[in-house]
Amino acid sequence: MRGSANPPFVEVIVQSRAAWFAARLALCGAYMLGGVIKLTDWPGAVAEQTHFGMTPPALWAAITIAVELVGPLLILTGRFVWLGAGMLGVFTALAALTANAFWTMPPGPERFAATNGFFEHIGLVGGFVLVAMLAGRDRA
């Protein structure tokens, strides 16, 4: 096995438990915030699901809240990280397909924004795959 190709100061950062936690918090923060906001504004959460055509909207709002709160909790506590990352990864992929279906839109600013949103979501899915991969390396 070869040594790290990282400069020593970078290696200190990437091996740090604090940096590992901060990275997971940054990845999960928007989901936690979204879950709390939806939980405190149930009518808004149901309206959001109605907007995206999810039926029954109350059931999907409850599922969304559960995923947005439980997934980050698992990732941040280091318990069943693979499950939390899987929950959020699948949720994010489905959200990308539902909320950012750019391929169904005519050219223009809305399609441009949806295309960017879709690929940003795919990047987050990749981040959750990496978290699940790295979690087994005694970092949590």
Side-chain angles (χ1 to χ4, degrees):
M1 177 179 239
R2 296 184 320 187
S4 173
N6 295 328
F9 77 94
V10 173
E11 197 61 27
V12 167
I13 294 168
V14 299
Q15 294 300 324
S16 162
R17 287 191 182 277
W20 172 232
F21 182 81
R24 291 179 293 151
L25 182 60
L27 185 61
C28 294
Y31 295 91
M32 292 185 307
L33 180 61
V36 168
I37 289 171
K38 288 173 183 72
L39 191 60
T40 59
D41 180 13
W42 178 253
V46 173
E48 179 183 52
Q49 298 305 314
T50 301
H51 170 77
F52 289 118
M54 305 301 287
T55 56
L59 174 64
W60 285 106
I63 291 169
T64 297
I65 291 167
V67 168
E68 288 185 332
L69 295 177
V70 173
L73 181 66
L74 294 173
I75 291 170
L76 293 173
T77 61
R79 305 287 185 242
F80 299 103
V81 173
W82 63 269
L83 180 58
M87 290 169 63
L88 290 171
V90 169
F91 171 79
T92 302
L94 293 174
L97 293 169
T98 303
N100 296 301
F102 66 90
W103 53 90
T104 66
M105 301 175 172
E110 288 182 18
R111 180 181 178 147
F112 182 80
T115 302
N116 284 339
F118 178 85
F119 287 104
E120 288 170 359
H121 278 74
I122 298 307
L124 287 168
V125 172
F128 288 119
V129 171
L130 289 171
V131 164
M133 292 169 66
L134 291 172
R137 297 185 177 180
D138 192 34
R139 293 191 179 244

